[in-house]
């Protein structure tokens, strides 16, 4: 797995009809040769929510919806990209592109990708070439299907190709995951990894620190159906703060656990994430660790002053070290304190569910996969606090309509659910959810043209690639 190369460049037969976006690009830039098309898919996560940044695995697959960038390399270091989805034009020089656009601007995802390779020294800013192009997407936006990471990946691959640079896909995924944090969310590494390395008909079990992938076969005669709750979960608005808060809560949970471990056993380990407390390192079972966590997190939610007291470091040091965000700001202290215990419970039980789901998929045990998805959803709601009324209604209706498992997917706070459905009942499932959720519960009639963006079965697809047109 470790020798996949990014960007994967595929030469297109010169006699084949070019992609529509490439035709548009050629008209716009009056170019009838050398053009590229970067394609990066979105993803749906079957299970393993909010585990990635904790160093525990996830189990997503890349979907058959993507962001495309048709481009030509620039002669200089200009990056110029026009959105065909009406988000306008963004243009910057690679050398000067480090300061972000306004919070929430889509151009920040393009800048993030460029910045990642510069900071790692993969591309030298003094000699870098930009690219000029147009982009369009078929991934519903703010829906938890990773349209923003797909844009980061597509832009990253375009930048690599414009500079004739190839690199290991795992390294590339790591760089893009880190650099996407530049856009203000402390995300983990799932979305960029699966967008880059997805594989047709396979889910990907992704492990982190270091990044590793394993292909897991999907179930025969069953499909994963995505249903959009139509509650926008924009990573740039309030969902961003709620997401970052959970990242901070998990860091604090790890801090408390580390202190408890030293206090109880004298064992001092280098552990900044919950996933670092594995039995090999600690010499303890997860059951022992859970008992310790229960004691040290007693009374949760905990104000930072109580946490400081329990771990024996100052409030200022905690704020500086554990509440700092990658964009240079510090997370604002929540008045009611940090929910360390519930977050801990979600993360460690979710990590186990990922392993169990991989086993259940491998032996083709549909019922077990569905049950694990349902348990995951309950934990996302009760322990992680990332569901909402609409997602509850939608998962309930999906189960009533025959889904074997139904859960929110992605960061939560709105967005989509993923539903495991037997292929033979697919059309009745879609019909029932359409009536019961969209028409009866939300009171909206889905435009038949848009329906496929709201309620659709997903095929597991290959990861990102670049097509070269000569
Ligand atoms: C977002 C982040 C991912 C992951 C999920 C939740 O999609 O980008 O890294 O944390 O939320 O599982």
């Amino acid at each position: 797995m470790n020798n996949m190369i990014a960007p994967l460049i595929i030469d297109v037969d010169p006699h084949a009809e070019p992609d529509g976006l490439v035709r548009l690009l050629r008209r716009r830039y009056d170019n009838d040769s050398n053009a590229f098309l970067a394609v990066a898919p979105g993803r749906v996560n079957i299970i393993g929510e909010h585990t990635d940044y904790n160093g525990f695995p996830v189990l997503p697959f890349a979907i058959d919806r993507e962001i495309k960038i048709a481009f030509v390399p620039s002669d200089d270091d200009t990056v110029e990209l026009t959105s065909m989805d009406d988000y306008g034009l963004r243009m910057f020089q690679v050398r000067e592109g480090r300061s972000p656009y306004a919070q929430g601007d889509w151009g920040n995802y393009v800048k993030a990708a460029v910045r990642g390779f510069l900071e790692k020294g993969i591309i030298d800013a003094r000699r870098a070439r930009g690219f000029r192009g147009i982009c369009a997407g078929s991934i519903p936006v703010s829906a938890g299907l990773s349209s923003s990471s797909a844009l980061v990946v597509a832009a990253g691959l375009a930048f690599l190709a414009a500079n004739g640079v190839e690199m290991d896909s795992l390294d590339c995924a790591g760089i893009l995951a880190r650099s996407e944090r530049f856009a203000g969310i402390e995300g983990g590494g799932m979305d960029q990894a699966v967008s880059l390395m997805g594989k047709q008909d396979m889910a990907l079990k992704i492990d982190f620190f270091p990044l590793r992938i394993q292909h897991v076969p999907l179930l025969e005669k069953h499909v994963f159906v995505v249903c959009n709750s139509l509650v926008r979960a924009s990573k740039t608005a309030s969902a961003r703060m709620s997401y970052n808060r959970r990242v901070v809560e998990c860091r604090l949970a790890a801090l408390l656990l580390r202190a408890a471990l030293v206090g109880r056993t004298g064992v001092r380990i280098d552990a900044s994430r919950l996933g670092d407390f594995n039995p090999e390192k600690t010499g303890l079972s997860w059951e022992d660790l859970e008992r310790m966590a229960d004691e040290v997190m007693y009374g949760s939610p905990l104000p930072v002053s109580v946490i400081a007291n329990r771990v024996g470091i100052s409030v200022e040091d905690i704020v500086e070290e554990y509440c700092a965000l990658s964009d240079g700001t510090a997370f604002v202290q929540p008045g009611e304190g940090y929910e360390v215990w519930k977050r801990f419970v979600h993360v460690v039980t979710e990590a186990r569910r990922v392993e169990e789901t991989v086993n259940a998929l491998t032996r083709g045990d549909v019922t077990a996969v569905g049950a694990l998805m349902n348990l995951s959803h309950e934990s996302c709601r009760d322990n992680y606090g990332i569901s909402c009324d609409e997602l509850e209604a939608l998962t309930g209706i999906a189960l009533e309509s025959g889904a074997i498992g139904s859960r929110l997917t992605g960061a939560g706070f709105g967005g989509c659910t993923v539903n495991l459905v037997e292929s033979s009942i697919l059309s009745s499932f879609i019909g029932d959810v359409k009536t019961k959720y969209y028409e009866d519960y939300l009171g909206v009639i889905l435009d038949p043209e848009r329906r496929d963006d709201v309620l659709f079965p997903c095929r597991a697809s290959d990861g990102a690639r670049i097509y070269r047109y000569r």
Side-chain angles (χ1 to χ4, degrees):
M1 260 339 35
N2 290 3
N3 43 18
M4 288 171 69
I5 292 296
L8 172 70
I9 299 189
I10 301 168
D11 280 308
V12 178
D13 174 355
H15 304 296
E17 181 70 2
D19 184 276
L21 206 60
V22 172
R23 287 206 302 274
L24 261 178
L25 173 91
R26 283 182 165 159
R27 249 180 273 145
R28 219 183 161 99
Y29 288 96
D30 195 17
N31 157 306
D32 54 11
S33 58
N34 293 332
F36 294 89
L37 180 70
V39 178
R43 62 100 187 95
V44 66
N45 191 18
I46 302 174
I47 200 161
E49 225 59 87
H50 291 264
T51 44
D52 57 357
Y53 52 82
N54 284 298
F56 282 118
V58 293
L59 189 62
F61 62 85
I63 59 174
D64 43 349
R65 294 184 176 238
E66 51 219 8
I67 298 282
K68 291 179 177 177
I69 299 182
F71 66 97
V72 289
S74 304
D75 297 327
D76 54 16
D77 76 332
T78 307
V79 172
E80 178 193 310
L81 197 57
T82 304
S83 157
M84 296 286 114
D85 299 323
D86 290 338
Y87 296 114
L89 162 86
R90 294 293 176 275
M91 184 156 81
F92 61 92
Q93 309 306 125
V94 168
R95 269 186 282 278
E96 289 151 18
R98 295 189 189 213
S99 54
Y101 294 109
Q103 178 64 252
D105 192 291
W106 70 277
N108 283 335
Y109 295 108
V110 182
K111 283 194 171 183
V114 166
R115 179 178 162 146
F117 296 119
L118 299 182
E119 281 182 357
K120 269 278 165 187
I122 305 288
I123 293 173
D124 181 346
R126 288 163 307 180
R127 281 186 286 275
R129 288 175 82 184
F131 56 91
R132 295 173 195 268
I134 54 182
C135 63
S138 57
I139 310 169
V141 174
S142 299
L145 301 176
S146 275
S147 58
S148 42
S149 300
L151 175 58
V152 171
V153 170
L157 294 191
F159 189 45
L160 286 177
N163 288 280
V165 173
E166 281 188 343
M167 64 183 299
D168 180 90
S169 295
L170 290 168
D171 293 342
C172 182
I175 289 176
L176 293 175
R178 261 189 307 280
S179 66
E180 189 174 328
R181 294 190 201 128
F182 168 72
I185 188 148
E186 297 295 300
M190 159 166 69
D191 306 343
Q192 303 78 6
V194 64
S195 181
L196 265 167
M197 291 175 281
K199 188 167 160 65
Q200 198 180 340
D201 300 330
M202 295 282 176
L204 247 58
K205 179 186 178 223
I206 310 177
D207 283 275
F208 302 91
F209 312 108
L211 191 60
R212 283 152 290 154
I213 60 170
Q214 174 196 337
H215 295 137
V216 181
L218 289 172
L219 297 160
E220 282 172 16
K221 299 193 193 133
H222 289 80
V223 274
F224 286 101
V225 182
V226 162
C227 303
N228 191 336
S229 69
L230 299 184
V231 176
R232 284 176 69 86
S234 171
K235 275 196 187 166
T236 53
S238 73
R240 176 177 148 257
M241 291 307 282
S242 306
Y243 183 101
N244 288 344
R245 172 177 173 165
R246 279 150 185 80
V247 175
V248 169
E249 285 173 325
C250 289
R251 286 183 200 157
L252 295 171
L255 171 67
L256 283 159
L257 191 54
R258 201 173 61 204
L261 188 66
V262 179
R264 280 294 213 78
T265 64
V267 175
R268 217 172 267 280
I269 59 166
D270 179 18
S272 54
R273 303 179 191 93
L274 290 172
D276 295 334
F277 291 85
N278 54 51
E280 297 86 74
K281 254 190 175 172
T282 56
L284 296 172
S285 68
W286 272 108
E287 288 68 34
D288 292 335
L289 286 165
E290 275 166 41
R291 268 191 294 279
M292 257 180 217
D294 190 11
E295 282 168 26
V296 72
M297 295 175 199
Y298 171 77
S300 168
L302 301 176
V304 77
S305 53
V306 172
I307 298 178
N309 214 327
R310 290 191 193 172
V311 299
I313 39 181
S314 70
V315 168
E316 293 71 33
D317 284 351
I318 292 196
V319 171
E320 201 181 306
E321 224 183 295
Y322 297 88
C323 306
L325 304 178
S326 304
D327 64 4
T329 59
F331 189 79
V332 181
Q333 306 309 307
E336 69 283 18
Y338 287 112
E339 273 291 5
V340 278
W341 168 246
K342 285 186 171 179
R343 306 309 183 231
F344 169 83
V345 171
H346 170 75
V347 171
V348 297
T349 57
E350 186 75 350
R352 258 178 244 148
R353 284 186 287 269
V354 173
E355 303 291 351
E356 287 170 22
T357 307
V358 170
N359 294 337
L361 279 174
T362 311
R363 57 174 200 272
D365 187 341
V366 182
T367 313
V369 175
L372 287 157
M373 290 171 68
N374 295 335
L375 286 173
S376 166
H377 181 78
E378 282 165 24
S379 179
C380 283
R381 176 191 61 216
D382 301 337
N383 295 319
Y384 227 65
I386 54 173
S387 188
C388 60
D389 291 348
E390 291 81 354
L391 287 169
E392 290 311 303
L394 187 50
T395 47
I397 288 169
L399 292 173
E400 254 172 60
S401 309
I404 305 157
S406 179
R407 58 179 298 278
L408 66 86
T409 187
F413 316 108
C416 291
T417 61
V418 55
N419 305 277
L420 175 59
V421 175
E422 202 179 305
S423 311
S424 60
I425 67 153
L426 178 60
S427 62
S428 75
F429 174 80
I430 289 189
D432 285 358
V433 174
K434 182 173 145 277
T435 313
K436 292 187 201 155
Y437 180 71
Y438 297 97
E439 292 168 16
D440 299 350
Y441 181 83
L442 285 186
V444 296
I445 302 294
L446 295 181
D447 172 349
E449 302 245 308
R450 261 196 72 210
R451 202 177 96 182
D452 284 351
D453 280 343
V454 175
L455 183 60
F456 53 90
C458 287
R459 283 206 10 239
S461 304
D462 282 334
R465 64 240 167 235
I466 287 194
Y467 295 100
R468 178 162 47 201
Y469 296 80
R470 296 187 201 258

